[in-house]
Amino acid sequence: MNTVVTSEKIHLPAGAVLKLLGNWQDYQRMVSVLGDRAIPRIKYRPGEILLMAPLPEHGRDVSLVADVAKVLFDHLNLRYDSFTPITMSLQEVSGIEPDFCFYIENWQSVVGKSRIDWQNDPPPDLAIEIDVTSYTDINDYLVYKVPEVWLLRNKKLLIYTLQRENYTLSESSYFPNIPEIAQQCFRIAREETTSEAIRWLRNFLVSTQK
């Protein structure tokens, strides 16, 4: 199906990425047209609007990485709140839609809330992005000061942590060998199923305690 972007309808074929010139008002109009639809995803940077329609593998990868995070946090007995889909926005500055985000240290700031005030509430402690079509720029998260971002690119999990005013590739503050664990989970999911990958992870974590 063809790409359609009008004042009344927005449609992109799976896998398409579209960059448009536009201001904050244009972005808000497109958000209004999309309503509660999760697809296509929409992003705003000053002067431009990006639209992206995920491929099926995007959703599968989001689910797997988020499940890996939940299993690890449960193993560490960490309390958290998680959100997906979610739109983060700062007027005239930014509008982004992480694939998944977690409040961990700051879970008390958002528990029970139906809306988050990005101007005053703390940012998520962790955001997850799955990049199948080179849509993600890690610097989109700088204005929100998200402490840690996991970016899956080419089936490799990259861990970015905020160091002063920049993101740096480093180890996760939660679990040092997450990239290697994720790699093994993706191998199992590819050869068997995602449920087997998560089952392996739970068993692996139990074995490390012996």
Side-chain angles (χ1 to χ4, degrees):
M1 189 175 290
N2 294 330
T3 299
V4 178
V5 179
T6 70
S7 60
E8 297 179 349
K9 183 178 181 180
I10 297 176
H11 177 82
L12 270 69
V17 177
L18 183 63
K19 182 186 289 188
L20 304 169
L21 298 178
N23 57 27
W24 181 257
Q25 289 70 34
D26 297 324
Y27 165 73
Q28 289 292 294
R29 280 192 288 269
M30 288 190 181
V31 168
S32 178
V33 171
L34 289 172
D36 293 332
R37 289 167 51 196
I39 298 174
R41 295 178 63 197
I42 185 168
K43 178 183 294 187
Y44 175 77
R45 298 171 185 150
E48 66 179 27
I49 300 166
L50 291 91
L51 296 166
M52 186 270 285
L55 292 164
E57 67 177 296
H58 181 274
R60 184 177 62 243
D61 291 352
V62 169
S63 178
L64 181 55
V65 175
D67 284 348
V68 166
K70 291 176 183 178
V71 169
L72 292 173
F73 296 154
D74 287 342
H75 175 72
L76 295 171
N77 200 30
L78 291 174
R79 196 166 185 175
Y80 62 85
D81 230 341
S82 58
F83 297 86
T84 186
I86 189 170
T87 300
M88 302 169 65
S89 63
L90 293 171
Q91 188 170 356
E92 304 288 349
V93 175
S94 167
I96 59 176
E97 299 176 347
D99 288 310
F100 223 97
C101 69
F102 290 86
Y103 279 86
I104 307 164
E105 281 82 5
N106 289 311
W107 67 266
Q108 289 178 307
S109 299
V110 298
V111 67
K113 285 190 174 182
S114 58
R115 290 184 179 274
I116 298 173
D117 180 352
W118 301 108
Q119 199 74 45
N120 299 300
D121 289 329
D125 296 292
L126 169 66
I128 294 175
E129 283 277 9
I130 308 301
D131 200 347
V132 177
T133 52
S134 299
Y135 173 77
T136 302
D137 184 340
I138 191 66
N139 292 319
D140 289 335
Y141 286 90
L142 277 176
V143 295
Y144 303 95
K145 299 189 182 303
V146 175
E148 185 165 319
V149 181
W150 297 1
L151 172 60
L152 185 74
R153 179 170 285 163
N154 298 323
K155 303 299 182 184
K156 181 179 180 182
L157 191 63
L158 307 173
I159 308 297
Y160 289 90
T161 58
L162 186 60
Q163 307 290 336
R164 296 185 180 179
E165 299 300 319
N166 294 288
Y167 281 105
T168 303
L169 279 170
S170 62
E171 289 187 346
S172 171
S173 59
Y174 301 105
F175 220 86
N177 57 337
I178 285 177
E180 292 79 7
I181 288 173
Q183 197 74 29
Q184 179 70 354
C185 286
F186 272 99
R187 184 190 66 77
I188 295 170
R190 184 174 61 251
E191 296 175 359
E192 300 181 54
T193 61
T194 54
S195 64
E196 287 303 310
I198 295 303
R199 189 169 292 114
W200 169 84
L201 177 56
R202 289 197 179 101
N203 291 334
F204 169 76
L205 292 173
V206 169
S207 71
T208 62
Q209 295 179 315
K210 295 178 179 179

